[in-house]
Amino acid sequence: MCEAENHTNSVKEDSQQRRSFLKLATASMFGFGLSPLGSVHATSGVIESPPLPDNVLSPEAALERLMKGNERYVSGQSIPLNFSDERLDLMRGQNPYACVLSCSDSRVSPEFCFDEQRGHLFVARVAGNYLTTDFIATLEYATAVLHAPLIMVLGHEKCGAIQAAIDATDNNEQFPGHIQSIATALTPAVRAVPRKPDYVAANRYDDIVRMNVILTVRELRKQPPILSRLVDSMKLKVVGGVYQLETGTVRLVA
């Protein structure tokens, strides 16, 4: 009899915990009055959320912080990384203050070029830093659920994906496997910067890199239903930059 009662009580507790979790997750997702400094009671005790949310910033302040980090990186004054001191805080959650949609190029690392620790940037990367449905959903999660107030679209000089798009668009070159899908996705940027007789190829290439960033920023700003609403209510800022390989400088272009 006691075993049956214990089993019944255990089932009830598990059910209550699941309901509590779902209630918390739903409230968190849709922004229902939860304090960022609140706590969640679990079977193992009390798990506190991160004590100092980095994303309690205005979009403008978030951009200023991001660019100051780049200034430190360029000048060789990056703050040393210290993983051991932050591990426990990061176990309790994350509060990124900025999202970065970046190219996957191994020479470009958003955490380094903006001089940030783990947990501060929510980074999505793909060759050519272009948008797909998956990346839109990723950025929606970061801004609507994690409340990051800033999205930076980060392109870079000498981008191989952009060169592939130029070759595919201008010269009808075909690439093996799924690589062609990247070149095709970047075609709008190439077509937006048409060839001219007096257009130096290197200058056009750089202009296409910038145009790709600009077009992606425009698309994100008007992307329904979540991102456009956050932009219109001035809770989210979407900007674009190009990383210079020689200096490490990120120059804003949108």
Side-chain angles (χ1 to χ4, degrees):
M1 186 66 176
C2 289
E3 291 182 359
E5 289 179 353
N6 289 338
H7 176 72
T8 300
N9 290 336
S10 176
V11 171
K12 287 182 179 178
E13 289 177 2
D14 288 344
S15 179
Q16 289 173 350
Q17 289 165 8
R18 282 194 292 269
R19 284 198 298 270
S20 296
F21 175 79
L22 289 173
K23 182 178 179 182
L24 177 69
T26 302
S28 217
M29 180 172 290
F30 293 101
F32 295 154
L34 284 182
S35 168
L37 302 182
S39 60
V40 181
H41 293 275
T43 54
S44 59
V46 176
I47 301 177
E48 296 180 355
S49 47
L52 185 61
D54 287 311
N55 56 5
V56 183
L57 292 172
S58 69
E60 292 75 18
L63 178 59
E64 182 179 1
R65 172 174 171 173
L66 196 71
M67 299 309 292
K68 283 185 176 179
N70 182 242
E71 290 175 7
R72 291 194 303 273
Y73 170 72
V74 171
S75 62
Q77 297 177 344
S78 295
I79 300 170
L81 299 175
N82 189 343
F83 295 141
S84 60
D85 287 348
E86 66 188 13
R87 286 194 182 110
L88 289 179
D89 283 342
L90 291 176
M91 284 178 62
R92 298 197 292 262
Q94 60 173 323
N95 289 300
Y97 77 90
C99 314
V100 182
L101 174 59
S102 170
C103 183
S104 297
D105 194 295
S106 62
R107 299 167 293 179
V108 182
S109 176
E111 290 85 354
F112 285 145
C113 74
F114 293 116
D115 188 29
E116 284 296 359
Q117 305 282 335
R118 295 184 304 171
H120 293 170
L121 301 180
F122 196 91
V123 180
R125 303 186 70 175
V126 63
N129 46 273
Y130 65 93
L131 276 183
T132 67
T133 300
D134 291 336
F135 283 111
I136 293 171
T138 297
L139 295 172
E140 287 178 337
Y141 172 79
T143 54
V145 179
L146 299 180
H147 306 296
L150 177 70
I151 296 175
M152 161 74 77
V153 178
L154 184 63
H156 68 95
E157 295 178 328
K158 303 185 184 303
C159 179
I162 292 294
Q163 185 60 60
I166 293 173
D167 292 339
T169 305
D170 292 351
N171 307 318
N172 295 318
E173 186 169 343
Q174 296 293 312
F175 299 95
H178 293 82
I179 299 174
Q180 185 64 36
S181 65
I182 296 176
T184 300
L186 298 172
T187 296
V190 180
R191 290 178 174 168
V193 186
R195 287 182 291 184
K196 300 176 182 177
D198 58 346
Y199 212 160
V200 178
N203 292 342
R204 178 172 179 254
Y205 177 93
D206 291 339
D207 288 344
I208 293 171
V209 169
R210 285 191 291 271
M211 180 58 67
N212 181 48
V213 171
I214 291 169
L215 292 179
T216 303
V217 168
R218 289 176 183 171
E219 191 171 350
L220 282 171
R221 286 173 179 169
K222 65 182 183 181
Q223 187 65 228
I226 293 175
L227 299 181
S228 60
R229 174 173 54 82
L230 291 172
V231 169
D232 290 343
S233 62
M234 295 187 290
K235 294 179 180 179
L236 174 67
K237 192 176 188 70
V238 184
V239 299
V242 174
Y243 178 83
Q244 297 182 322
L245 293 177
E246 183 177 358
T247 64
T249 300
V250 174
R251 298 199 180 281
L252 294 177
V253 297

